[in-house]
């Protein structure tokens, strides 16, 4: 490559060390833009988000922001105990906020835009229990404000100035529509933050005296006493009651408040606080906790539990912390507390008849707790109905089993009744989720049909014929299910709300490959429909594409699937093979039948966002999204014991299928992926010659750096060393003889995917003479956020492919209107 080419801006990257031929050079400090029409698409607005009020009377549209400028990520940031904080806001460092609100009356269709002052993001949206008000926060330059919108008036008012503490958990929760909210606020007399010493006071020392305390590879942990002081300073809050006029009453002294929730009747407060000792090995969510019930004035009346530091949870999946780890209020009662605690010391490897116990105790909390349910598997959830009915679910990872039980809270001696028992990866037989509604205390409870003996289930409707969401009425005594509604071609349509007990009025979210998601109200008795929203296509360039869900067979008989995208107007019979990009992410299964199920909805609306590989269609590439690559371990066999063999078989199956159809040709395919998909891409380059090039974004490539488990692997490095080494692309870097593009966020916060992972694989391939490019994105995390980084990543991906898998001329764009809203 010439010096002119090296200094041409088209060959620059953001940061990092890269190698052209055998000559290493430092990267240019410039961001590159992807080719058109990709660059213009990135600046087009996305369709709004939607939230429907619990009382089904109001629909709120939430305007989404454009892609974040890099300057937002460059703001001050603290990394403490697994958190990334903006110290100026007292909030998360990478918060996503909406830009505007519009209120719509569902019955009349009347819409009102909520007028707000200039702000930097709308977040933390919380409906009031009745659904007539919506609380939210506004980010400002100097802090976070509390606002409440009145649905009927279409207006909003500020209740608190920028004093909310949003560093951990939700800053505010509702007491009731009349009593207002509980909020965490910054102490008024806290003073300035502590300043870390310029000279260390001594060495960092940790020790372990024979105690077994395995931990996964967490990031952004505390490292010094100065970090501890900063953590304590920024997470300290005062719990305050805020009424709807903005009057504030402080209820507690300053402390490390994790959360506070009011009982359904508003008389009591469940308070969770973080306690010392802190840990340098685990994030804040595993620090010691104190849980207590306070009265409405903030006085403690019932100590629930004091949870120890949870740095010794076994790595076996379904292991949990000891003590009353889950606490909450029964939604169907005025003030009944429930909690869940492990009966197996939190160790899933123990052989015990029962895993968890669920207890309840009712205000004023002076009676002994009552045992409601002992689970045989690990507790999963409870849906509260009424005094005589609750629905409990339990699950177990090793068997992929989930069971549903009918419980009688009024009679704990009544044996639970088994209602469902299935493999939770078996999507074809998924009965759906029970629907809820506001109960007598305006908290969500199970929605019963008028007979009082039937529930409503909403499911995705995965079947061999396709994916068609449904609404069923489920009679609990007979177990009979009646299908009330189901989506049909050409739409993918799902239940958003059930409007009445009779099951005859619904709101659905409807979309198709050509139509963006919109909300519709339907009367199932009369057949009348009314469109509630009118969102437009943010990527009209893709309207003429016809995504195809393809099915093909692996050599061992497992049925696989993927979604195939071809550039508009392309015909493989007349135009010949196209260079093809596969974007993959494998998944572990315990059953061949479950692994063979096709779960992709053919009628769904799909448009690329951020650094999606489907943008490459505009440059003349065929793109295959989500080719299934199941890693199956039936019975006692662990899936990863045959990971490489199964991964290779899956890749061979999709490549052979594409070549046989004439869409691709040998030597004309590339493999890519993000996170575990990046790990997959590197492994396929190391163990096969199926692909001409690879793209690996934010992956982990050396599994000895994640020795206490990763992804679906729950064994440690020392238990199954050969598996860890065999699965690590780093171990086989000498066999990666195809060009590999490595991209990584410089501040990757994800467990196990340190930027070091890409740096070390780059170093190995460079030292072994491989063709490799390493791009590290400053300020970016595991998922890339900034407009600059996203555009640059797409530039890198397209450029890498054009170098190593060139495409024919991309489809011609005649005018800007073809890539923007008409």
């Amino acid at each position: 490559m010439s010096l002119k080419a090296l200094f041409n801006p088209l060959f620059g990257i953001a940061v990092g060390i890269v190698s052209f031929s055998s000559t290493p050079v430092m990267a240019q400090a410039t961001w590159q833009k992807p080719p058109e029409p990709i660059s213009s698409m990135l600046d087009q607005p996305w369709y709004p988000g939607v939230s429907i009020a619990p009382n089904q009377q109001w629909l709120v549209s939430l305007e989404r922001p454009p892609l974040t400028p890099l300057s937002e990520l460059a703001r001050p940031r603290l990394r403490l105990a697994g958190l990334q904080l903006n110290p100026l806001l007292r909030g998360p460092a990478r918060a996503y906020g909406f830009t505007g609100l519009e209120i719509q009356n569902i019955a009349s269709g009347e819409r009102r835009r909520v007028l707000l002052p200039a702000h930097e993001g709308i977040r933390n949206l919380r409906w009031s229990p009745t659904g007539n008000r919506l609380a939210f926060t506004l980010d400002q330059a100097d802090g976070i404000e509390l606002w409440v919108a009145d649905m009927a008036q279409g207006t909003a008012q500020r209740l608190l100035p920028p004093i909310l503490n949003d560093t951990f958990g939700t800053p505010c929760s509702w007491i009731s529509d009349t009593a207002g909210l509980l909020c965490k606020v910054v102490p008024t007399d806290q003073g300035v933050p502590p300043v870390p010493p310029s000279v260390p006071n001594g060495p960092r020392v940790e020790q372990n005296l024979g105690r077994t305390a395995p931990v996964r590879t967490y990031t952004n942990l505390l490292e010094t006493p100065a970090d501890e002081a900063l953590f304590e300073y920024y997470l300290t809050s005062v719990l305050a009651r805020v009424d709807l006029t903005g009057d504030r009453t402080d209820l507690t002294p300053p402390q490390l408040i994790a959360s506070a929730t009011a009982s359904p009747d508003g008389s009591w407060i469940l308070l969770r606080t973080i306690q010392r000792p802190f840990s340098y090995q685990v994030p804040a969510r595993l620090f010691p906790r104190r849980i207590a019930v306070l009265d409405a004035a903030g006085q403690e009346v019932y100590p629930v539990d004091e949870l120890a530091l949870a740095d010794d949870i076994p790595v076996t999946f379904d292991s949990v912390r000891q003590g009353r780890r889950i606490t909450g209020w029964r939604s169907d009662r005025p003030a009944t507390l429930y909690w869940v605690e492990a009966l197996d010391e939190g160790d899933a490897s123990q052989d015990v008849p029962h895993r968890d116990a669920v207890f309840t105790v009712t205000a004023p909390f002076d009676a002994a707790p009552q045992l409601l349910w002992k689970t045989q598997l690990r507790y999963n959830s409870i849906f509260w109905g009424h005094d005589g009915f609750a629905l409990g679910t339990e699950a177990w990872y090793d068997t992929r089993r989930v069971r549903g039980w009918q419980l009688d809270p009024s009679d704990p001696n009544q044996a639970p009744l088994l209602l469902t028992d299935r493999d939770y990866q078996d999507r074809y037989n998924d009965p759906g989720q029970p629907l809820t509604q506001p109960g007598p205390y305006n908290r969500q409870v199970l929605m019963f049909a008028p007979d009082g003996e039937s529930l409503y289930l909403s499911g995705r409707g995965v079947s061999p014929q396709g994916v068609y969401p449904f609404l069923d009425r489920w009679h609990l005594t007979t177990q009979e299910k009646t299908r009330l509604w189901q989506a049909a071609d050409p739409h993918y349509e799902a239940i958003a709300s059930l409007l009445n007990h009779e099951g005859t009025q619904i709101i659905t979210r409807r979309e198709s490959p050509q139509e963006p998601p919109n909300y519709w109200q339907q009367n199932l008795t009369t057949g009348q429909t009314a469109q509630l929203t009118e969102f437009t296509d943010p990527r009209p360039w893709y309207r003429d594409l016809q995504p195809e869900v393809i099915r093909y067979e692996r050599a061992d008989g497992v049925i696989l699937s993927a979604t195939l995208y071809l550039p508009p107007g392309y015909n493989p019979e007349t135009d010949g093979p196209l260079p093809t990009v596969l974007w993959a992410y494998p998944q572990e299964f315990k059953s061949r039948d479950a692994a063979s199920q096709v779960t992709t909805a053919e009628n769904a609306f799909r448009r690329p966002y951020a650094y999606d590989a489907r943008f490459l269609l505009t440059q003349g590439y065929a793109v295959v999204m989500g080719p299934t690559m199941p890693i199956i371990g039936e019975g006692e066999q662990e899936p990863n014991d045959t990971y490489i063999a199964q991964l290779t078989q899956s890749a061979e199956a999709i490549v052979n299928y594409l070549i046989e159809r004439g869409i691709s040709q040998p030597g004309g395919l590339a493999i890519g992926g993000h996170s575990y998909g990046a790990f997959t891409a590197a492994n396929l380059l190391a163990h096969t010659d199926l692909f001409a090039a690879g793209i690996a974004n934010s992956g982990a490539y050396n599994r000895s750096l994640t020795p206490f488990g990763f992804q679906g692997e729950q064994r440690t490095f020392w238990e199954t060393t050969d598996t860890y080494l065999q699965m690590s692309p780093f171990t086989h870097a000498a066999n990666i003889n195809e060009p590999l593009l490595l991209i990584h966020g410089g501040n990757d916060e994800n467990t196990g995917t340190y930027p070091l992972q890409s740096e070390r694989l780059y170093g190995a391939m460079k030292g072994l003479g491989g063709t490799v490019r390493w791009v590290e994105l400053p300020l970016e995390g595991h998922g890339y956020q900034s407009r600059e980084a996203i555009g640059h990543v797409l530039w890198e991906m397209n450029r890498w492919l054009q170098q190593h898998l060139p495409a024919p001329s991309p489809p011609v764009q005649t005018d800007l209107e073809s890539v923007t809203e008409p």
Side-chain angles (χ1 to χ4, degrees), residues 508-529:
T508 61
R509 185 178 188 266
R510 178 188 296 177
E511 61 190 85
S512 76
Q514 291 74 40
E515 303 169 73
N518 274 293
Y519 288 77
W520 292 72
Q521 186 170 354
Q522 301 185 42
N523 187 313
L524 301 182
T525 302
T526 65
Q528 291 180 310
T529 63

Side-chain angles (χ1 to χ4, degrees), residues 477-767:
T477 302
T478 66
Q479 292 290 295
E480 180 182 357
K481 294 186 177 72
T482 303
R483 182 66 39 97
L484 303 179
W485 171 88
Q486 187 159 23
D489 294 330
H491 294 105
Y492 177 79
E493 193 168 8
I495 297 290
S497 289
L498 178 57
L499 301 180
N500 62 358
H501 288 267
E502 292 73 27
T504 59
Q505 304 240 5
I506 59 175
I507 294 176
T508 61
R509 185 178 188 266
R510 178 188 296 177
E511 61 190 85
S512 76
Q514 291 74 40
E515 303 169 73
N518 274 293
Y519 288 77
W520 292 72
Q521 186 170 354
Q522 301 185 42
N523 187 313
L524 301 182
T525 302
T526 65
Q528 291 180 310
T529 63
Q531 187 171 349
L532 300 177
T533 61
E534 297 176 349
F535 305 144
T536 54
D537 190 342
R539 306 276 189 264
W541 189 94
Y542 290 82
R543 283 179 184 160
D544 295 331
L545 267 65
Q546 297 293 332
E548 179 187 358
V549 177
I550 57 177
R551 296 165 173 81
Y552 48 97
E553 188 173 341
R554 202 163 75 174
D556 60 358
V558 176
I559 304 301
L560 306 179
S561 63
T563 305
L564 172 64
Y565 295 83
L566 301 173
Y570 168 73
N571 185 333
E573 295 182 1
T574 57
D575 299 335
L578 281 178
T580 305
V581 179
L582 278 66
W583 205 257
Y585 196 98
Q587 184 179 355
E588 296 85 0
F589 288 86
K590 292 299 291 182
S591 158
R592 291 168 59 90
D593 289 342
S596 293
Q597 294 179 357
V598 180
T599 61
T600 303
E602 296 192 54
N603 293 330
F605 178 80
R606 299 184 181 91
R607 297 292 185 268
Y609 186 80
Y611 44 96
D612 193 308
R614 285 171 291 190
F615 279 119
L616 297 168
L617 287 159
T618 67
Q619 306 305 303
Y621 290 91
V623 177
V624 179
M625 296 296 292
T628 53
M629 296 183 172
I631 311 300
I632 307 167
E634 295 187 302
E636 297 299 318
Q637 184 185 44
E638 289 292 333
N640 284 338
D641 289 344
T642 54
Y643 171 85
I644 297 299
Q646 294 193 64
L647 188 70
T648 300
Q649 281 188 334
S650 295
E652 289 172 344
I654 181 61
V655 169
N656 290 339
Y657 173 88
L658 294 169
I659 292 173
E660 289 170 7
R661 275 193 56 177
I663 293 166
S664 311
Q665 61 183 350
L669 299 100
I671 182 68
H674 181 86
S675 193
Y676 206 56
F679 172 76
T680 299
N683 260 318
L684 285 172
L685 294 187
H687 296 284
T688 77
D689 292 314
L690 297 169
F691 302 100
I695 300 172
N697 296 347
S698 297
Y701 311 106
N702 183 348
R703 285 306 172 191
S704 71
L705 298 177
T706 57
F708 288 103
F710 59 90
Q711 201 72 9
E713 179 56 65
Q714 55 186 321
R715 298 168 296 179
T716 71
F717 174 84
W718 298 274
E719 290 175 297
T720 179
T721 304
D722 289 345
T723 298
Y724 272 68
L725 295 178
Q726 180 66 15
M727 289 181 67
S728 295
F730 180 85
T731 308
H732 307 281
N735 297 330
I736 302 178
N737 51 21
E738 298 87 7
L740 177 61
L741 172 63
L742 295 166
I743 301 176
H744 218 118
N747 289 338
D748 194 329
E749 76 288 358
N750 187 55
T751 302
T753 55
Y754 300 116
L756 178 68
Q757 292 273 8
S758 288
E759 180 182 353
R760 290 291 175 84
L761 183 57
Y762 167 78
M765 290 185 63
K766 173 178 172 290

Side-chain angles (χ1 to χ4, degrees), residues 77-241:
R77 182 183 309 197
L78 293 174
R79 299 174 179 85
L80 301 169
L83 307 173
Q84 295 194 54
L85 307 179
N86 181 330
L88 300 180
L89 285 184
R90 291 286 180 109
R94 300 172 61 196
Y96 181 93
F98 297 101
T99 57
L101 298 174
E102 183 181 78
I103 297 171
Q104 180 174 342
N105 185 307
I106 291 176
S108 69
E110 180 185 4
R111 299 178 184 177
R112 293 185 182 180
R113 181 175 178 81
V114 177
L115 298 179
L116 296 171
H119 61 84
E120 299 182 2
I122 300 169
R123 300 188 297 110
N124 297 306
L125 291 100
R126 295 291 184 273
W127 286 104
S128 67
T130 66
N132 289 320
R133 292 185 172 88
L134 180 66
F136 56 92
T137 62
L138 283 189
D139 287 353
Q140 300 291 4
D142 57 346
I144 302 170
E145 302 174 335
L146 172 64
W147 285 70
V148 169
D150 185 291
M151 296 294 103
Q153 299 297 323
T155 60
Q157 64 172 335
R158 189 178 82 163
L159 298 189
L160 286 180
I163 60 171
L164 289 179
N165 192 325
D166 190 19
T167 53
F168 190 90
T170 303
C172 294
S173 62
W174 282 93
I175 303 171
S176 72
D177 282 66
T178 56
L181 300 100
L182 295 172
C183 292
K184 296 185 289 185
V185 300
V186 177
T188 56
D189 56 352
Q190 193 175 27
V192 298
V195 178
S198 57
V199 178
N201 294 325
R204 171 178 168 174
V205 177
E206 295 186 44
Q207 70 174 0
N208 187 68
L209 303 177
R211 176 171 166 264
T212 302
V215 293
R216 292 189 175 241
T217 46
Y218 299 112
T219 59
N220 301 317
L221 300 176
L222 299 179
E223 296 182 354
T224 65
D227 284 349
E228 294 186 54
L230 287 170
F231 174 80
E232 196 159 34
Y233 177 86
Y234 283 105
L235 268 73
T236 294
S237 302
V238 171
L239 182 64
R241 182 173 61 248

